[in-house]
Every structure is written in C-alpha cells, then in structure tokens.
Amino acid sequence: MRLVNKLSLAFMIGTTAILAGNGYFRVRREVGLFRTDRVHDHDLIGRSLGASLQVVWRSEGQAAAMALIDAANAGESRIHFRWDWLDGPGAATDLHVDKLALVEMRPGSTITVIAPDGRGEDERFTYAPLVVGGGQHGALELSETLESERDYTRRTVYETMQTTGLLALVTALLSYVLGSFFVGGPVRA
C-alpha cells in the first residue's frame, strides 16, 4: 500500500507542476490580451471622439466642442476625457507625454502611456492630437484607472489556482483509487 501512496503523491506533484506552469503562462497571456484590448479601445475612442471634436469645432465653435467633451464624460464612467492645449497661452503643463512629440504627431493618431496620476496611482493615459481653429495644437486626453485590470488579474489568478488545485486533488484521488485496485490488490495477493 505504501507503493500506491508514493505513486499517488508523484502523480499529484507532477500534475500540479504542469498545471501551475500552464496557469502561469495562461495568466500572463490573459493579462496581456486585456491590456492590448484596453489600449485598442483607447485608440479607437480617441480617434473617433477626436474626429468628431474637430468637426464640431469647425462647424459650431470651441464652446460646442467642449460641450461634446462634457457629454462624453457624463456618458462614460470608466474613462475620463479632457482637452489640453499644446501651445499658446493656457498650454497644459501636466501632460504625461512630451508636448513636442504630440505636436509633431499626425492628427488621427494616438499615443498611450501608463503613468502616475495626481494621487500617485498608475493610470492609462491616451492622447489624440488635433489641430483646431486657427492652427492651434491641442490634444484630447483619455484617462482610466488600472483598477479593472488589477481586478481582472486577481480573478484570473484565483480561478487558475482553483482549477489547478481541483485537478491536482482529482488526479491524486484517481491515482490512489486506481493504484489501490490495479497495484495494491495484486501486491497483497
């Protein structure tokens, strides 16, 4: 019977090691896909809202464009939108990317970075540069906390650990029962 216990333990350790390795790479892949998806969302929203902002600015003026940003903030709780001037009086001083790099970017493109916000917590910032009334440079800033990413990571790790533990336990039980029947029985006989 000690042989069956040793075999069961070996199967459990082997299965746990394989599942833990698989779980590690699965979590890394899932978190990477989550981040890529968020960056893609920011890019798409930044380019779309930026294009709309530019059309409204040209046709209805700056006040209507700022109202569009306010409306976007009212309808979205996860992402915050802000207008930043890049040149002239009132130019933003708290950007998380180089102003010159934004000015040199072509309109319709975006840049995304992760940087600390005013409270020191990391956030995802995306900038969509625009040229508006009179050739002034500005940028639409999108910001989002990383809390949803942290929650997703915790949930993925927890679920992976649950699955690994359950499969290791099932493997140990099956190997013990089958080992007792196929190995233990003949050895006793």
Side-chain angles (χ1 to χ4, degrees):
M1 206 57 169
R2 287 181 20 212
L3 177 61
V4 171
N5 292 342
K6 290 178 183 177
L7 286 173
S8 297
L9 183 63
F11 280 126
M12 187 178 86
I13 290 172
T15 302
T16 302
I18 290 169
L19 290 172
N22 180 46
Y24 171 78
F25 290 113
R26 177 181 169 252
V27 167
R28 284 184 50 143
R29 183 186 73 240
E30 290 291 322
V31 170
L33 289 172
F34 186 89
R35 285 181 182 150
T36 300
D37 189 48
R38 287 291 199 219
V39 169
H40 181 263
D41 287 352
H42 273 230
D43 176 63
L44 185 62
I45 293 168
R47 287 185 298 116
S48 300
L49 186 57
S52 298
L53 194 63
Q54 211 162 23
V55 168
V56 169
W57 201 301
R58 284 184 189 140
S59 64
E60 299 176 38
Q62 179 178 347
M66 293 304 124
L68 179 63
I69 292 173
D70 291 340
N73 277 321
E76 176 65 51
S77 61
R78 189 174 48 99
I79 299 174
H80 177 75
F81 304 95
R82 182 179 90 164
W83 176 256
D84 295 316
W85 287 108
L86 300 178
D87 53 13
T93 58
D94 59 348
L95 300 177
H96 300 281
V97 295
D98 181 43
K99 268 192 237 182
L100 184 58
L102 284 174
V103 169
E104 292 176 353
M105 286 175 64
R106 64 177 173 74
S109 59
T110 62
I111 184 169
T112 300
V113 297
I114 293 179
D117 64 2
R119 300 177 316 272
E121 295 183 26
D122 282 348
E123 285 194 16
R124 181 173 288 109
F125 292 92
T126 298
Y127 296 92
L130 301 168
V131 178
V132 293
Q136 285 186 291
H137 291 90
L140 177 65
E141 177 188 271
L142 292 76
S143 60
E144 176 183 22
T145 69
L146 298 180
E147 190 58 37
S148 59
E149 183 176 318
R150 288 189 286 271
D151 288 345
Y152 181 79
T153 302
R154 277 191 293 273
R155 197 171 51 251
T156 303
V157 167
Y158 178 73
E159 290 170 0
T160 301
M161 288 173 60
Q162 272 186 320
T163 302
T164 299
L166 183 63
L167 287 172
L169 183 64
V170 167
T171 300
L173 288 173
L174 278 174
S175 65
Y176 182 78
V177 169
L178 294 174
S180 295
F181 182 73
F182 290 113
V183 177
V187 167
R188 276 192 301 273

